[in-house]
Amino acid sequence: MTSVILTDGGMGQELVRRSKSEPTPLWSARVLIDEPGLVRDLHAEFIRAGARVITINTYSATPERLAREGAEELFQPLQKRGIKLARQACEQAGDAAIAGCLSPLFGSYAPALTTSFEEALATYHRIVAEQADGVDLFLCETMASADEARAAVTAASESGKPVWVSWTLADHGTPRLRSGETIAAASSALGDLPVAARLLNCCRPEAITAALPELAALGGPVGAYANGFTSVEALKHGGTVDVLHARHDLDPETYATQAIGWVEAGAGIVGGCCEVGPDHIAALRDRLVQAGHQISGVPNA
């Protein structure tokens, strides 16, 4: 029997779908501002579906994104609100570890949109300082380049909390980060930084399947959580997610089959990203149990 940590699915797309408002460049942070009850309730749905780790809904509440939309003063309040809502969901729906969120500072899938390592590190320090007291671990997710991940992991590791790092891959071709760097090179760039797990996320399931052997060969705990987009090419800097479309061939059972394959390839952490909802996580939970796996939480969380 293998112990597998089951995480939540994608908050942002599901929140935008449930919101009464049209999508904005602030994406899920807009829902966090205007309709916080939706955030709490979706966290709770993921927990009831079987998730043992949920990530706070602050992915798009970075100082840079908020400043771009003239709302930088909301940075601290939104960090606190994201943690509070995750805690409320755990109180309502059951025990789950809460992951802090270190996301791309300017936008997903665009490694060219960046600052110097020192500037990125300073911003990640700000985010970590706001989240550290309220989370059990840090998830540096959708990292599109080695430097981006190194800055996020450096800041997170100084909190003393466990750190997971998750890279996003090009959707087609030989497995590479969206920057063109190899997974091995990106991992090597982290040096001796303490990383509790290495993951792949927010790319096509097929890209993860192709890349997982290379990730597993690095040693240590690994994991994966894919998105369900047809393509991310249409999303531009400062744009809105209504240009993105969900695949019709990744229903809950089909997605679960993909994720079970990752477990068989060595992944000890699985879940979902954009367009993967509570029904997908519930189907994955059921398939894990049927296969004889034990669904576990995060050690020491």
Side-chain angles (χ1 to χ4, degrees):
M1 180 183 294
T2 302
S3 181
V4 178
I5 297 172
L6 181 59
T7 72
D8 57 5
M11 292 288 292
Q13 289 297 100
E14 189 67 22
L15 287 171
V16 168
R17 185 176 294 111
R18 297 180 183 200
S19 174
K20 298 176 183 177
S21 303
E22 293 297 316
T24 76
L26 278 179
W27 193 43
S28 56
R30 187 77 257 170
V31 184
L32 186 62
I33 295 166
D34 295 336
E35 302 168 276
L38 293 182
V39 177
R40 179 198 59 234
D41 293 347
L42 181 54
H43 279 316
E45 282 189 44
F46 277 123
I47 295 171
R48 294 188 184 103
R52 299 294 300 275
V53 180
I54 59 172
T55 302
I56 63 173
N57 182 54
T58 56
Y59 185 98
S60 58
T62 66
E64 283 80 359
R65 293 197 195 198
L66 291 169
R68 186 182 68 206
E69 302 304 317
E72 189 173 11
E73 75 282 358
L74 294 179
F75 169 66
Q76 288 180 310
L78 290 182
Q79 303 299 315
K80 290 179 171 57
R81 179 174 290 183
I83 292 168
K84 180 181 179 180
L85 294 170
R87 285 179 172 173
Q88 289 177 349
C90 290
E91 292 168 0
Q92 292 180 8
D95 187 39
I98 297 175
C101 179
L102 296 186
S103 59
L105 298 177
F106 294 93
S108 302
Y109 321 127
L113 293 176
T114 187
T115 57
S116 69
F117 174 81
E118 291 74 17
E119 290 173 312
L121 179 60
T123 301
Y124 283 127
H125 274 142
R126 288 183 62 193
I127 299 172
V128 169
E130 296 298 327
Q131 296 182 7
D133 289 342
V135 303
D136 300 301
L137 69 150
F138 276 99
L139 174 59
C140 308
E141 63 177 337
T142 322
M143 300 283 101
S145 72
D147 253 11
E148 184 175 55
R150 184 165 65 96
V153 172
T154 299
S157 65
E158 293 173 6
S159 71
K161 301 288 176 76
V163 180
W164 293 358
V165 60
S166 189
W167 296 285
T168 180
L169 305 176
D171 284 316
H172 302 283
T174 302
R176 292 285 190 276
L177 273 63
R178 294 187 188 270
S179 62
E181 296 161 295
T182 66
I183 296 168
S187 182
S188 179
L190 298 176
D192 295 328
L193 289 169
V195 174
R198 294 174 172 84
L199 302 91
L200 305 171
N201 84 292
C202 214
C203 46
R204 290 167 58 88
E206 294 85 355
I208 287 178
T209 298
L212 202 56
E214 182 178 347
L215 183 68
L218 298 175
V222 300
Y225 53 115
N227 68 34
F229 289 134
T230 56
S231 172
V232 300
E233 296 301 319
L235 184 62
K236 304 303 180 185
H237 182 53
T240 55
V241 295
D242 50 353
V243 299
L244 300 178
H245 304 286
R247 289 170 60 168
H248 298 297
D249 60 343
L250 277 179
D251 59 39
E253 286 300 326
T254 304
Y255 184 83
T257 297
Q258 292 271 5
I260 288 291
W262 305 333
V263 173
E264 293 171 349
I269 305 167
V270 289
C273 208
C274 302
E275 301 294 351
V276 177
D279 289 346
H280 294 80
I281 298 303
L284 178 50
R285 172 203 61 202
D286 292 345
R287 290 285 297 277
L288 287 168
V289 172
Q290 291 167 10
H293 300 292
Q294 178 182 355
I295 297 175
S296 66
V298 177
N300 304 317

